[in-house]
Amino acid sequence: MPAHFLKILIILLGALCGFESAAVAAPQPVTEGWEYRWGDLPYKDSGVPDWSVAQQPEQWQAIDFPSNPPGRNGRDQVWYRVTLPAGDWQNPVLYILSVDLIVQVWLNGEKIYQYGTFDKDGRGEFEGWPWHEIVLPEGYENTPLYFRVFSNYTDIGLWGEISVMDHSELVLYVLKNSLEALFVAGFTLLVALLALMLSLLQGGRKTFSSIALFALASSVMLLAESQASLLVVPAPLLWDYLAAGSYYLLPVALWLMFEQWLADQRLRAISWIWQLHLVYAVGAISLALAGVIDLSSTFPPFDALFLLSLCLMTFITVPHIGTMTREQQVLVLASGVFSALLVVDMAVAHGVLPWGQVPVSYGLLVFTLAVVTISLRYYAMTQRALHELTVTLEQQVAERTAKAEALLQREQARASLLAFENEKSRVFAAVIAELQTCVSLDQAFQLLTEAMPRLCDPIKGMIYRRTDSGGYVRLAQWGYNGVPPKLELELATLDRFPAPVRQLASTVEEAEAACKTCQGLVCFSINVEFMSHETTPEGLLLLEADSINSSASTDDGAARLISSIKLVAERIGVTLSGISLREDLQRYSYEDALTGLKNRRYFDQLFEHEASVALRKNSPLSLLLLDIDYFKRFNDTHGHEAGDVALQTFASLLESRFRGSDVVCRYGGEEFVVILPASDLAGARERAEQLREAVRNEPVVYEGQNLGYLTISVGVASWPGSTDKPRQLLRLADQMLYRAKTGGRDSVEVFSEL
């Protein structure tokens, strides 16, 4: 048996790799030259058919395929014959997918194959639906091959594919035809186990139980009906019983799911129907096992019952689709696809449709993938719930710490670890207090760069920070004694880093697993929440696993230490998130949303500062107050959206025309103001004229259409060229702007009284 199983594995590997023997001809279907004869042939005393009767031409009628000849009229015996084509075969065999129900094969008056037991009347019992390999002797070419068939089933004759091929290729051919079904059956079986575990975790929730039953029945059905099953256990009837039992349980599982989804007093018929199917499944299999009926005779009534159930299921389900949850709708659609393929397969089996391979496994794969998708979504929801629960559990940390301290006092190693943790907690509290005083992330990470060696000592490690390009750069390293770490100073992506610790290590095994990842490094992610996007790993704390183990002294101490460091990283991330949000709020409060320039609030505060600096340093200070001419008319003509584009175009031009020390602000509406530190009156006027000319030459383009050019009016004032009080510059510039507007616009007016 082991050698036989090893041979199957080798052949299966060959099927997966797709190799074939180039010296062996491909299988040749036998589709022409078939004839049939109703009834059995007379037999001689020796038990051999009277071939003289068989040679009479009027006894035989032509048929396209040796199955279900016309004019059956209740007869259960038929003969077929065909002359097989010649071919370049080494060890030729005739491959038949199935026979209804038992068969003998004769060549040159000799019986060369028999499946099933024929009694003296030429009849017999159902013994399963295997595929058949009929060894063809030498000289079979150009000689009629006779098939004696008995069947009290709805079909009589050969079924499916009939081909001549080499014996060496047959097993490989069978495995290739079964690979798809075996793969889907295995995958579906895993899903059945997953649904069963979810059902147990949910206290026996019936929805998951019915999904598990459906997936299990489907996988067993595919496995039992696959041709490869006979290579493992050559017991056709056993596989047919498994296929029948699982097939009969499919509607039970389907209706159980629908009963959960469509819980309604008006739909009590659902429970009656799945119970009816369950009674049929148990009764049919029991009666067949007891020998009261043939297993084959249980399929036609079930198919009729199943088809009726599917029609009723469709009638009940369609009106309730809109009230179902999204998961239920997906499962209904997936089960509908699978059921439709089963109906097509049923039609092929009963001869309503011509024979062909129906991809039932595809339908099962669709259903299985739907279950996996829903299970993963359910898992994600569970993880979110666990995360929310973690926040509540933090309130219990104090109680757990007190219990841990009592236990640590009993052993010196644990007491040492407790002292270590207490010391680091004090340092950590000081670090958090300092972080909370920081006004920017840059300042906070500078503090962390200085504090991390002190906080982590004697555990050696390093800290990285995310760059603007999305990569990571090392900020600090400690404990390496001059030997550089294995990781580079800068890394473009997260791929080179070990996976961050996702959960708190609660066992020795988890701690050891964490310490062995990524070449001895344990990674803790410092996640920061930004106002503009989702939480991002802004920093990465990497510690050497060996240092963690040596500092913890014991294996369970390492698990505790990893958990503590994980909490430290999370607390730092929360603190940095607060700093980031404050920093974003501060920036947004001084920024104009439309143009991206600084707003009036920023100007009011900065102008006071610049005026004081100019007085203190005795340095010139100039101010430009600008207004877009006829902007209301522009808005009325082209619309407010085009007006916004015009403001953005003008703002971009302003930013490009002034140096880094100059400050450009949107003062309000179409008014803008520019602070020019260290610029005298002549320089300010020249800059204003250059800007006015640049605006006249910059078109406003909106949705690909040129809307023309803008003009501006500018008021200029400077200290000390216009006044001896720098804080009066805004008022004077406003006066000059008014003069420019009333004087015809598109001009620069300068206040130069002094």
Side-chain angles (χ1 to χ4, degrees), residues 48-340:
V48 176
D50 186 355
W51 296 111
S52 62
V53 176
Q55 300 304 323
Q56 299 174 11
E58 66 273 8
Q59 296 284 326
W60 299 91
Q61 303 293 326
I63 190 171
D64 292 335
F65 190 81
S67 179
N68 297 324
R72 182 172 182 178
N73 298 325
R75 287 178 283 197
D76 55 14
Q77 294 171 315
V78 67
W79 280 75
Y80 298 99
R81 72 179 181 181
V82 69
T83 300
L84 298 180
D88 186 17
W89 315 106
Q90 297 177 1
N91 295 297
V93 296
L94 182 67
Y95 166 73
I96 303 175
L97 181 61
S98 183
V99 174
D100 290 320
L101 291 173
I102 59 177
V103 62
Q104 287 180 345
V105 183
W106 298 79
L107 180 68
N108 290 328
E110 295 184 3
K111 183 172 62 177
I112 63 173
Y113 181 80
Q114 177 168 324
Y115 177 76
T117 303
F118 287 81
D119 59 18
K120 61 183 181 61
D121 296 323
R123 294 174 172 82
E125 300 293 332
F126 173 70
E127 297 187 23
W129 280 307
W131 52 269
H132 302 268
E133 178 188 10
I134 303 171
V135 178
L136 299 175
E138 293 184 3
Y140 72 89
E141 301 93 338
N142 302 318
T143 302
L145 192 66
Y146 290 86
F147 299 83
R148 180 192 187 191
V149 178
F150 163 76
S151 175
N152 56 5
Y153 184 57
T154 55
D155 293 333
I156 184 170
L158 284 59
W159 192 85
E161 180 183 359
I162 306 172
S163 298
V164 180
M165 64 182 68
D166 263 297
H167 169 73
S168 60
E169 291 292 294
L170 180 58
V171 174
L172 183 61
Y173 184 75
V174 168
L175 286 174
K176 284 184 177 179
N177 291 338
S178 305
L179 282 178
E180 177 186 296
L182 293 176
F183 172 76
V184 176
F187 182 61
T188 307
L189 183 60
L190 291 178
V191 173
L193 296 177
L194 174 62
L196 181 60
M197 288 189 293
L198 289 175
S199 174
L200 296 176
L201 291 175
Q202 293 294 317
R205 188 175 177 184
K206 291 184 179 180
T207 300
F208 286 110
S209 300
S210 57
I211 291 174
L213 177 61
F214 185 89
L216 179 62
S218 302
S219 61
V220 172
M221 183 187 72
L222 281 184
L223 178 62
E225 290 184 348
S226 69
Q227 300 176 51
S229 60
L230 294 177
L231 299 177
V232 181
V233 179
L237 198 55
L238 170 63
W239 290 113
D240 287 336
Y241 270 104
L242 288 175
S246 56
Y247 181 42
Y248 296 164
L249 287 177
L250 286 179
V252 176
L254 277 175
W255 282 103
L256 278 172
M257 286 189 288
F258 277 77
E259 185 180 33
Q260 299 301 314
W261 301 337
L262 305 176
D264 195 316
Q265 293 294 329
R266 297 170 296 175
L267 302 177
R268 292 180 179 176
I270 295 178
S271 61
W272 298 344
I273 294 178
W274 74 255
Q275 291 171 10
L276 175 63
H277 273 285
L278 181 61
V279 169
Y280 184 89
V282 174
I285 298 300
S286 300
L287 291 175
L289 288 172
V292 178
I293 58 176
D294 284 341
L295 179 64
S296 60
S297 64
T298 65
F299 281 90
F302 172 80
D303 289 341
L305 178 62
F306 190 24
L307 188 60
L308 180 62
S309 298
L310 288 176
C311 295
L312 183 59
M313 184 184 301
T314 304
F315 177 76
I316 293 177
T317 304
V318 170
H320 295 82
I321 285 289
T323 61
M324 295 182 184
T325 64
R326 183 173 299 177
E327 292 84 354
Q328 293 169 351
Q329 292 173 346
V330 170
L331 286 176
V332 167
L333 179 61
S335 58
V337 172
F338 182 47
S339 300

Side-chain angles (χ1 to χ4, degrees), residues 513-552:
C515 294
K516 291 178 181 177
T517 58
C518 195
Q519 300 179 354
L521 286 175
V522 182
C523 181
F524 301 89
S525 179
I526 302 176
N527 297 319
V528 178
E529 182 178 357
F530 294 91
M531 182 180 295
S532 57
H533 51 77
E534 297 180 352
T535 301
T536 302
E538 187 69 12
L540 295 174
L541 175 62
L542 298 117
L543 302 178
E544 294 286 348
D546 293 339
S547 295
I548 294 177
N549 289 327
S550 60
S551 299

Side-chain angles (χ1 to χ4, degrees), residues 404-422 548-558 560-561:
E405 289 176 355
L407 293 174
L408 290 173
Q409 290 175 358
R410 300 175 186 176
E411 300 179 22
Q412 184 62 35
R414 295 187 180 184
S416 176
L417 178 60
L418 180 60
F420 177 80
E421 289 182 341
N422 288 339
I548 294 177
N549 289 327
S550 60
S551 299
S553 301
T554 60
D555 292 335
D556 57 338
R560 179 186 177 91
L561 191 53

